[in-house]
Amino acid sequence: MTTPAITPEIVREHGLSEAEYQNILEILGREPNLVELGIFSVMWSEHCSYKSSRKHLSKLPTEAPWVVCGPGENAGVVDIGDGQVAIFKMESHNHPSFIEPYQGAATGVGGILRDVFTMGARPVALLNALRFGDPSHPKTRHLVAGVVSGIGGYGNCVGVPTVAGETTFHRAYNGNILVNAMCVGVAEADKVFYAAAAGVGNPVVYAGAKTGRDGIHGATMASAEFTEDSDAKRPTVQVGDPFTEKLLIEACLELMQKDCIVAIQDMGAAGLTSSSFEMASRGGTGIELELDRVPLREEGMVPYEVMLSESQERMLLVLKVGREDEARAVMEKWGLDFATIGHVTDTGRMVIRWHGEVAADLPIAPVSGASPVYDRPSVPTPPRLPIVGAAGSAPMDDRDALLVLLGCPDLASKRWIWEQYDHMVMGDTVQRPGGDAAVVRVHGTNKGLAVTSDCTPRYCEACPRTGGMQAVAEAWRNLIAVGAKPLAITNCLNFGNPERPEIMGQLVGAIDGMAAACRALDFPVVSGNVSLYNETEGRAVQPTPNIGGVGLIEDLGRMTGMAWQRPELALVLVGESNGWLGGSLYLREVMGREEGAPPQVDLPQERRNGDFVREVITARLVEACHDLSDGGLLVGLAEMCLASDMGASLDVPREATPSAWLFGEDQARYLLAVSPDALGDLRARARGRGVIARQVGTTGGRSLNVTGLVPISIDEMRARHEGWLPALMAGGH
Amino acid sequence: MKARVEISLRPGVLDPEAQTIERSLASLGFEGVEHVRRLKVIELDLAHQDRAAAEKAVEAMCERLLANPVIETYSISIDA
Amino acid sequence: MKARVEISLRPGVLDPEAQTIERSLASLGFEGVEHVRRLKVIELDLAHQDRAAAEKAVEAMCERLLANPVIETYSISIDA
Amino acid sequence: MRAAVITFPGSNCDRDLAVAMERCFDKPVARIWHQDTDLPPLDLIGIPGGFSFGDYLRCGAIAARSPVMREVARQAARGVAVLGICNGFQVLTEAGLLPGALLRNAGLGFVCRTVAMQVATASSPFTGSFAADARIALPVAHHDGNYQIDEDGLKRLEDEDRVAFRYLENPNGSMAGIAGVLSEQRNVLGMMPHPERAIEPLLGGSDGLPLFRSLMGALA
Ligand SMILES: Nc1ncnc2c1ncn2[C@@H]1O[C@H](COP(=O)(O)OP(=O)(O)O)[C@@H](O)[C@H]1O
Ligand SMILES: [Mg+2]
């Protein structure tokens, strides 16, 4: 093979540092050719190698008795009883979505689906965590429209319901939006598939769509900081085909019923390169590839392109010897390409041939295992002052403040988004978007999986450690609020350039906080993804460790939602209210101040209150439940009124500072609607567990009546809450 | 003045719709059909009197709305 | 041989996409734009040697699949 | 009741429909692949929602030309009941088994929500168990549900009492609020809303149940 000589310039274009290139020379004992250099560059990119984060990620707890498989495989696996497991993961598609919002978001959904069904699970739920720039930024509306229709376009077509997510806005994301997608699937515990290539001589086969020149260097792009000339990178955008993905899901699940698969892995970022290297590395084997046998879509493709293509909807499998015909028949029934492109060896090397000639010959371990690990310097984020109780004089009364908050970008209803997602397909959506966690029934059973995605970036920016803790705690709380037992989390850590010590400090702090919360709440991390270099022209996004939580409801008859059905129920506030306004939405949206330390997360209290709430929900003492987070108690109560289409009264305690009590964002709190008959039992249980639970109001009427405020009608609140996003998208802001 | 914009995918960009049409034609028994491509055409009437101005306006429309430059190219023809 | 099929909506069938394009162009400040129409174009290569036979084949494709006669009309051109 | 559900490549409500039918009919439902041409004796054929062939070219167009649809047309002519839901409705119009066409929603976007509608006729095997003019709520989930038909066609539908469901809040711009139409023989129904998603309170409603009960009464 003749390839151009490797110049320092070519090395740089591949995103490899001088030191990394020296390392490659040492590993090989010779110069790499261009194909080999391309392979190193994607395998050692931040996206594939986690070189800046790996050291810190190891601090996250990953075990619990119900965890079947933690991080390291395509997705995490947890036991949900009755011989079934839930398999889930979250992943970023930030940069592609900024460049081409529709396709970027769509292929993000496609990729995360493949991570889940590649392990033998039928995908049953999709979630998406979206962070956009300032609503008034000229690009925002276009990005929101494109991302939402891309997510819908893909998820709706494959027929997996998109049931939950998060959508917030902040100018820190003006030049770098975040699009994180999560998928949850269900499998039989004894039919989980892993991705370790084993069995010398076993065929390596390719299935799915053909390979084109899509997205070459997508992985390195995802690891590079943006500049104004990023538009030049446009041709690397991949286009998704959800129709082929749907066929691939059905074909793979059908094939998995037969006993012919040894290992299976989707071709995600860095395509055939990362899938083949990772499979061989996990199995401690080698692979020989006849690369010219890969089904190609375009003419004149060269080995470099075939190895680095990020064409979508493709899978790599290791089959048992002699089972290719059986597998081919299934793939062809579904109209998919199928080709045997190599076999497993025991050499520990990846040997790639192109029409008989060796195009690359690399040792597996150093390429995939021994990629560099950096202990990058970090400085902790300087602490901010707490703001509790009074925060100075407000420009409006609490009634208007509530209306402002209900219609502010972060709290306004996201109905405009989720109504573009088919959230009911598969016929098991028991709680639709709009509540604390969505619930999908496990098909054919009376169990449910509760799913949620959470993070409060403004807390993380103010104090990464507290913010990391809070994100985990909020996910936990949202699962508890529907009556689920929280099982485990996946996560996607979105940060700026890790080569800047203050960004590294954010990452380290957030991971520390997450680890502490996961431990205290028995809520381990089973999968995740890191997305760094989320910055434009030196301005980083807010640190955003999105948490995807999954919980189990064993009996759907013991589930709660946000809506109560009748008047005269007692509203019980669980948890301590100190009026913490630091970092609150009240402070930002009403007072115009982005300051203060975020609310403290008291993990033992969090645990105690959550366990109590789950106990009383399971004991059927609760008719509605909502956790309190953004906007505090009054916003939480207003949201419940809107969900119930019924009013309520709220009594502000004499000793409280009203604004702080109404809008403070103290953590570990829930608001419950409880029948008067059940109140005694509930109070007794609270006392027994040392939990503060006090009645603060009553349900009923057509308005929200708060001590000292003019009643606020449901209609007025609804108009504010539902009106903002449609108006924005219609161009009205 | 009448304008016509033809929008096609950039070379190399996956067109699953065209692929599916091609396969479907084959399964309906049409033989020898290859390289199915799809284009979008948008026609519109313009109040402009001046051909050059019209062309410029339509070009601006393409850049801002009608075409997605990331994956598409376009060509404009003006018919006075 | 290369064939090109242009498919347009029958007059009277309203096209929500074209209407939206027209409105969006107006709201982007493009003035005097009227009667926005959308057409679909499908191009394909044929193994046929004979022009007439090719035309007949493409016509059959349109009748059987490419166009929906309830709402669409089509025109064919063949380029040898 | 001998019922079957067809699966096209890209169908994604085929399981949902089969599950709903099995639940309501208390009988196993046969599953048919789009290339099958040899159908067992049937009383009811379900054409499910989803994105057959990715909705490429036109929604339902490619599926309408698949081998199984010739057989469906033959059976429909013989009086077998055919129920097309969402993409199934699109397939039936593309196959010429129902008049009109389904265009892109007026708002262009995909719409997934529960909408109020009215049962416009109770005289069909699909709607007999509804109270006449009953107001019901069913989920819709589509981006091409905008029913259009020429003037004469619309007049015929109305004159012959073949509008089965009508939106009370029109989510897609359909002519005359049409959500579902019957064939001339009244044994083929195409509808955009999803009755199979509304068969138990746990899923948010059971207004779809009478449709399956009607079929049970009329066909079993
Ligand atoms: N992009 C989205 N996709 C689907 N659902 C969303 C999206 N954004 C927000 N939601 C839904 O809106 C509701 C409110 O979201 P959020 O305020 O983040 O809830 P919480 O504070 O309980 O975490 C939730 O039910 C959430 O699932
Ligand atoms: Mg919540």
Side-chain angles (χ1 to χ4, degrees), chain A residues 436 474 478 626-627 629:
Chain A
D436 284 320
E474 186 173 345
N478 277 322
H626 186 24
D627 78 300
S629 52

Side-chain angles (χ1 to χ4, degrees), chain D residues 3-14:
Chain D
V5 171
I6 299 178
T7 299
F8 299 102
S11 294
N12 63 33
C13 302
D14 47 338

